[in-house]
């Protein structure tokens, strides 16, 4: 999720102030839902929060539940929406979500997760139904899923966008990327643009001559976009970029310009296979004429590529549509609108082979614990 690092920092900051906070994690989805399994929300004991699960329609209930979990000092697993015993809380999309509330997660594990993500490596949080939290660097094959009574959530580094170029286009590109929440960097031969970018608190480097850039380090979660009108700057920079294999490389210009770009790259020593990843003309909207539309067009294409790159760590919706993991689902029903609703805490033993879309009759509601 895009806010994973911010939510972990929220938990750390609360702990540093001596304020307890809960980590809330979306573990399962039935039907339609606004978020996918693995999304988080952080809630402080005073009610402050970061993140959301359903566009705000259950936010107040989640905050109240998290505060209860903090007061009790015990983890809980609660369903909202379809199949929930909260009869007065319904999701507009008609689906259901299961949330794991982890009160005051281990600070050492939170710090470890922050360190891994800040050094731009993937991290996996292993969250147990008993409230235990373990953070570890992700291994090949790690993805968001249940393992018995432990829910593992993989988080990849935030999308980083390196913008190279001059003129109005890079400035518009930086604005759009910042609004999205990407980690942005600028490289430009235009001193005024570099200075303006730095005044905004963003990273920017001045290209003083045509050639390779000093200190250009890319990773698998970085995209690079070149926005030069003087295309002489492009060739050595693109060759340098392609050596490091970022997940996306795009370049501004017409199709005619792109053909000439490919010719220049070949003359400079690039092989057809090496230069093939360069997308040109870059952007989903063709023949754009203004910098803002171009920036939006490019950002959409970059995000699309980033989602495809990280998709194998994310659960596919159909895998979560009608099932729950093996473990205990705890329902804390408070509503009194329906006499059949439970008025006390109920522990439900869930068999992972049975659907979660169960309905509760009056006789079933009399039981304090049962199999779905």
């Amino acid at each position: 999720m895009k806010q994973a690092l911010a939510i972990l920092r929220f938990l750390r900051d609360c702990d540093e102030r001596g304020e307890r906070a809960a980590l809330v994690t979306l573990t399962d989805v039935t039907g339609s839902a606004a978020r996918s399994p693995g999304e988080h929300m952080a809630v402080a004991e005073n009610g402050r929060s970061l993140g959301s699960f359903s566009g705000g329609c259950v936010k107040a209930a989640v905050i109240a539940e998290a505060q209860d979990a903090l007061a009790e000092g015990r983890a809980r697993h609660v369903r909202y929406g379809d199949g929930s015993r909260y009869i007065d809380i319904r999701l507009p999309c008609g689906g259901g979500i299961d949330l794991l509330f982890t009160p005051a997660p281990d600070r050492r594990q939170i710090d470890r997760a922050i360190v891994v993500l800040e050094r731009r490596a993937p991290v996996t949080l292993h969250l147990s139904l008993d409230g235990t939290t373990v953070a570890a660097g992700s291994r090949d094959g790690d993805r968001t899923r249940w393992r018995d009574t432990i829910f593992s959530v993989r988080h990849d580094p935030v999308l980083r966008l390196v913008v190279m170029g001059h003129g109005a286009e890079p400035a518009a590109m930086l604005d759009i990327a910042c609004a999205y929440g990407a980690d942005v960097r600028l490289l430009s031969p235009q001193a005024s643009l570099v200075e303006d970018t730095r005044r905004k608190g963003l990273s920017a480097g001045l290209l003083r001559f045509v050639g390779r850039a000093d200190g250009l380090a890319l990773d698998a979660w970085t995209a690079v976009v070149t926005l030069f009108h003087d295309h002489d700057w492009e060739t050595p920079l693109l060759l340098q970029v392609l050596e490091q294999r970022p997940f996306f490389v795009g370049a501004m210009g017409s199709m005619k310009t792109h053909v000439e770009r490919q010719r220049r790259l070949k003359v400079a020593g690039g092989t057809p296979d090496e230069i093939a990843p360069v997308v040109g003309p870059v952007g989903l909207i063709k023949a754009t004429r203004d910098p803002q539309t171009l920036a939006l067009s490019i950002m959409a294409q970059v995000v699309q590529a980033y989602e495809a790159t990280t998709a194998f760590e994310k659960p596919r919706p159909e895998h979560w549509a009608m099932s729950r993991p093996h473990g205990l689902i705890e329902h804390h029903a408070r509503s009194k609108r329906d006499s059949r609703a439970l008025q006390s805490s109920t522990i439900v033993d869930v068999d992972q082979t049975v659907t979660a879309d169960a309905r509760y009759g009056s006789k079933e509601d009399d039981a304090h614990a049962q199999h779905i």
Side-chain angles (χ1 to χ4, degrees):
M1 70 175 291
K2 194 169 64 174
Q3 279 191 304
L5 185 55
I7 285 175
L8 292 169
R9 288 169 174 164
F10 180 100
L11 295 170
R12 178 195 61 191
D13 294 345
C14 284
D15 185 74
E16 289 180 348
R17 291 193 300 269
E19 183 179 10
R20 300 173 72 240
L23 176 65
V24 189
T25 305
L26 174 58
T27 64
D28 298 274
V29 170
T30 298
S32 299
R35 305 288 187 269
S36 299
E39 293 287 327
H40 295 302
M41 183 173 171
V43 181
E45 57 188 343
N46 67 1
R48 291 186 306 108
S49 66
L50 180 64
S52 66
F53 296 116
S54 59
C57 59
V58 299
K59 186 172 183 178
V62 172
I63 291 174
E65 194 81 52
Q67 290 175 311
D68 282 353
L70 284 167
E72 185 181 0
R74 189 165 68 90
R76 57 181 67 171
H77 199 197
V78 183
R79 162 150 287 221
Y80 295 92
D82 187 31
S84 172
R85 299 192 181 222
Y86 286 115
I87 62 174
D88 56 342
I89 300 175
R90 288 292 178 262
L91 277 65
C93 54
I97 58 176
D98 292 332
L99 302 181
L100 177 59
F101 292 79
T102 305
D106 188 335
R107 169 66 187 275
R108 293 170 300 176
Q109 302 302 319
I110 297 301
D111 286 345
R112 180 179 299 173
I114 291 172
V115 168
V116 173
L117 285 175
E118 285 182 338
R119 70 169 184 250
R120 295 196 57 77
V123 68
T124 299
L125 294 177
H126 304 283
L127 305 170
S128 173
L129 288 171
D130 66 7
T132 303
T133 303
V134 176
S138 298
R139 299 173 297 179
D140 290 344
D142 276 359
R143 58 185 178 87
T144 298
R145 60 180 173 177
W146 279 101
R147 295 176 181 270
D148 295 324
T149 60
I150 297 176
F151 188 65
S152 297
V153 187
R154 172 168 172 149
H155 294 300
D156 288 295
V158 67
L159 188 160
R160 174 174 287 169
L161 179 63
V162 177
V163 179
M164 302 179 179
H166 50 232
E169 289 82 5
M173 190 75 244
L174 293 173
D175 288 342
I176 291 289
C178 287
Y180 169 77
D183 176 8
V184 297
R185 308 285 174 89
L186 170 71
L187 290 175
S188 174
Q190 185 178 345
S192 59
L193 178 59
V194 171
E195 292 172 2
D196 289 344
T197 302
R198 288 174 176 171
R199 275 196 292 268
K200 295 177 181 178
L202 304 177
S203 175
L206 181 64
L207 298 173
R208 300 183 183 278
F209 53 86
V210 173
R212 297 168 67 93
D214 293 335
L216 179 60
L218 310 176
D219 58 38
W221 299 275
T222 298
V224 178
V225 176
T226 63
L227 302 170
F228 287 104
H229 294 278
D230 181 353
H231 296 284
D232 287 341
W233 288 93
E234 280 187 342
T235 303
L237 291 171
L238 283 174
L239 290 175
Q240 183 182 3
V241 164
L242 292 169
E243 291 172 0
Q244 301 185 55
R245 303 182 69 178
F247 77 86
F248 182 89
V249 183
M252 180 179 72
S254 65
M255 182 56 71
K256 180 179 178 181
T257 299
H258 188 57
V259 171
E260 173 61 17
R261 176 183 298 117
Q262 291 176 315
R263 187 194 69 78
R264 287 171 178 253
L265 289 170
K266 290 177 184 177
V267 170
T271 67
D273 287 343
E274 289 170 340
I275 67 178
V278 180
V279 177
V282 69
L284 296 180
I285 305 172
K286 302 306 178 185
T288 55
R289 295 294 183 182
D290 64 274
Q292 288 72 29
T293 304
L294 177 62
L296 181 63
S297 172
I298 294 172
M299 196 67 211
Q301 191 173 28
V302 168
V303 171
Q304 183 182 64
Y306 177 78
E307 291 295 317
T309 297
T310 59
F312 73 96
E313 287 90 356
K314 301 174 182 178
R316 297 174 64 182
E318 58 266 29
H319 291 173
W320 301 82
M322 293 295 292
S323 65
R324 284 187 187 170
H326 177 69
L328 297 178
I329 305 294
E330 184 169 346
H331 297 273
H332 294 261
R334 298 194 187 95
S335 175
K336 298 182 180 180
R337 295 182 186 177
D338 188 327
S339 60
R340 295 182 303 166
L342 290 177
Q343 301 302 320
S344 61
S345 297
T346 300
I347 304 296
V348 182
D349 184 14
V350 180
D351 185 334
Q352 68 184 106
T353 64
V354 183
T355 66
D357 195 24
R359 295 296 183 267
Y360 301 91
S362 57
K363 291 182 180 179
E364 290 171 319
D365 285 345
D366 293 334
H368 199 68
Q370 61 184 343
H371 284 278
I372 292 179

